[in-house]
Amino acid sequence: QDIALHFGISLSNDSLKRHSYGNIHDEGQTNQTSMDGKGKSRINDISLSLLYNLKLNNKGNRFSLEANYQNNLDKQSNVYSYHDDEEGLGLSMNSDDYKSRINHFSARPQLQLMLGKKAGMMIGSMTSYTNNKNAVLQNSLPQDYRLKGIDHAVFADFRTYLTGKLYLNLGLRYQTDKLEYENPNRKELDFTKNFDGLYPTMNLAYTFDKKKGRMLSLGYRYYQSFPNFGYFFDVKDVHSDNSYSIGNPNLDPEHFHLAELSYTHNKALNVVYSYRRGTDLVQVMTFTEEDNPLVSYTKPENIGENHLHRFSVEIRHTPLPWWF
């Protein structure tokens, strides 16, 4: 058996500066606005990982466990000064403080079993927990909120040689996700969202010449990806007197279908074509407030669709012993 432990710590302190300048056009008049900001940022990150492998017999059967823990603290304080020449409004001051702490834990046990000489199976599970506490202070107005994520999954992977040259790999993953949002200042905004899905994978490979490494393979994968946690928060991030960003608590995961066809001629030549289709993609959109057309804001939405075609050729060559 093998046991490995890893511990890491990272500390960062930075000074922040921000400056923006713009023109606002309204009813034939042009008003100039500018913003200057300064602040401080501190980030503390601690991580701990455990890797464990247990050999069950000499046939290749083994048990493994991977566990990770991470604690991240992010603190920022900023002071902004705005200047707008409209009607001589002059200078205004704003300040904000931001504190975010993330605790994340994940565990992934799995069991690998050999089924004879030409087949094998791997079964396992995954559990992860994320707790993100945030405290925002904007001009003496506190806003606290918390986001929790709990994920569970079970998966199985089967692989075998159908013939001496034809190889098949099939995988299936069932995953459930629970997202909880809490805002102590505005309870009406609290929500709990549950997601689940079945995600298959497949790989089929045919070997023309084992000695030369000549092989053709076809693969398929269906998977999901969660948006950035910050996209869910309904707290405004003010950029200037006329612009801000806000999150969207109604976002859904993004989904992807990926198919890939690859041909390996030998160790020196590899050709790959892949096609990926993405749905429910998160796009950050820009809107204008209905009651104040001079103010614009950005907000993420599930409105994107993506079709990506990729073709690549990789050539390896060693013209001289020391030149690759």
Side-chain angles (χ1 to χ4, degrees):
Q1 61 182 352
D2 299 313
I3 300 177
L5 290 172
H6 173 264
F7 173 76
I9 183 169
S10 173
L11 306 175
S12 173
N13 287 278
D14 297 298
S15 296
L16 307 174
K17 293 184 179 181
R18 181 183 293 177
H19 176 75
S20 67
Y21 173 84
N23 293 324
I24 296 179
H25 304 278
D26 181 34
E27 297 181 353
Q29 295 183 351
T30 300
N31 301 309
Q32 295 182 345
T33 64
S34 63
M35 181 196 72
D36 289 287
K38 62 179 180 179
K40 293 183 179 181
S41 170
R42 189 183 80 184
I43 300 176
N44 302 335
D45 189 88
I46 298 175
S47 61
L48 179 66
S49 299
L50 166 68
L51 298 175
Y52 176 72
N53 283 284
L54 175 63
K55 183 179 179 181
L56 300 178
N57 54 35
N58 294 326
K59 296 181 180 180
N61 298 337
R62 63 184 179 89
F63 170 80
S64 63
L65 170 66
E66 179 180 348
N68 298 280
Y69 170 75
Q70 184 176 22
N71 184 293
N72 180 277
L73 174 64
D74 185 355
K75 296 180 66 176
Q76 291 189 20
S77 60
N78 304 278
V79 177
Y80 303 106
S81 60
Y82 301 98
H83 185 272
D84 192 331
D85 69 353
E86 183 182 4
E87 299 179 358
L89 293 179
L91 188 67
S92 63
M93 301 291 293
N94 285 330
S95 64
D96 66 64
D97 290 292
Y98 171 78
K99 180 180 179 181
S100 173
R101 182 180 292 277
I102 299 176
N103 281 286
H104 175 75
F105 171 79
S106 65
R108 180 188 172 99
Q110 61 184 39
L111 180 66
Q112 178 177 297
L113 300 173
M114 299 304 297
L115 307 176
K117 296 182 178 180
K118 295 184 178 181
M121 186 175 186
M122 188 262 294
I123 56 177
S125 64
M126 181 279 299
T127 297
S128 70
Y129 172 77
T130 302
N131 188 351
N132 183 198
K133 296 181 180 180
N134 295 268
V136 179
L137 185 65
Q138 292 182 338
N139 292 325
S140 302
L141 297 176
Q143 300 184 74
D144 299 325
Y145 51 97
R146 177 184 296 183
L147 195 64
K148 294 181 181 179
I150 305 172
D151 308 307
H152 301 283
V154 290
F155 51 87
D157 185 276
F158 175 77
R159 56 190 182 277
T160 185
Y161 279 94
L162 300 177
T163 66
K165 294 185 176 182
L166 189 61
Y167 172 82
L168 175 66
N169 185 302
L170 295 174
L172 192 61
R173 177 188 183 95
Y174 174 72
Q175 181 167 332
T176 64
D177 309 283
K178 183 178 181 181
L179 194 65
E180 296 180 353
Y181 179 80
E182 300 176 5
N183 189 323
N185 302 326
R186 300 180 63 185
K187 285 295 185 181
E188 71 275 10
L189 297 177
D190 293 358
F191 68 85
T192 298
K193 301 189 72 173
N194 293 280
F195 308 97
D196 67 337
L198 200 60
Y199 305 101
T201 60
M202 185 275 295
N203 183 263
L204 187 65
Y206 183 80
T207 303
F208 297 98
D209 192 322
K210 188 175 182 179
K211 292 183 179 180
K212 296 181 179 180
R214 198 160 295 172
M215 181 176 65
L216 179 69
S217 65
L218 174 66
Y220 168 78
R221 180 187 176 201
Y222 176 56
Y223 62 99
Q224 56 100 324
S225 176
F226 263 97
N228 188 305
F229 263 19
Y231 282 169
F232 288 95
F233 297 152
D234 64 333
V235 176
K236 288 184 179 180
D237 182 12
V238 179
H239 304 301
S240 73
D241 282 346
N242 305 96
S243 65
Y244 62 89
S245 299
I246 192 168
N248 184 359
N250 297 315
L251 292 177
D252 292 322
E254 301 174 319
H255 294 89
F256 297 93
H257 296 269
L258 174 64
E260 186 171 272
L261 179 66
S262 64
Y263 173 70
T264 302
H265 187 72
N266 49 41
K267 294 182 179 180
L269 178 62
N270 189 50
V271 181
V272 179
Y273 166 75
S274 67
Y275 167 69
R276 189 188 72 179
R277 177 175 179 259
T279 58
D280 305 318
L281 300 188
V282 175
Q283 302 284 343
V284 179
M285 308 298 294
T286 301
F287 304 92
T288 301
E289 288 189 349
E290 293 183 2
D291 56 348
N292 190 351
L294 296 181
V295 176
S296 62
Y297 64 95
T298 61
K299 183 179 181 180
E301 300 279 359
N302 284 107
I303 63 171
E305 184 168 314
N306 172 285
H307 297 269
L308 175 66
H309 297 268
R310 184 176 67 91
F311 179 77
S312 66
V313 178
E314 186 180 71
I315 300 173
R316 301 178 182 89
H317 183 52
T318 307
L320 296 172
W322 46 268
W323 182 11
F324 175 75

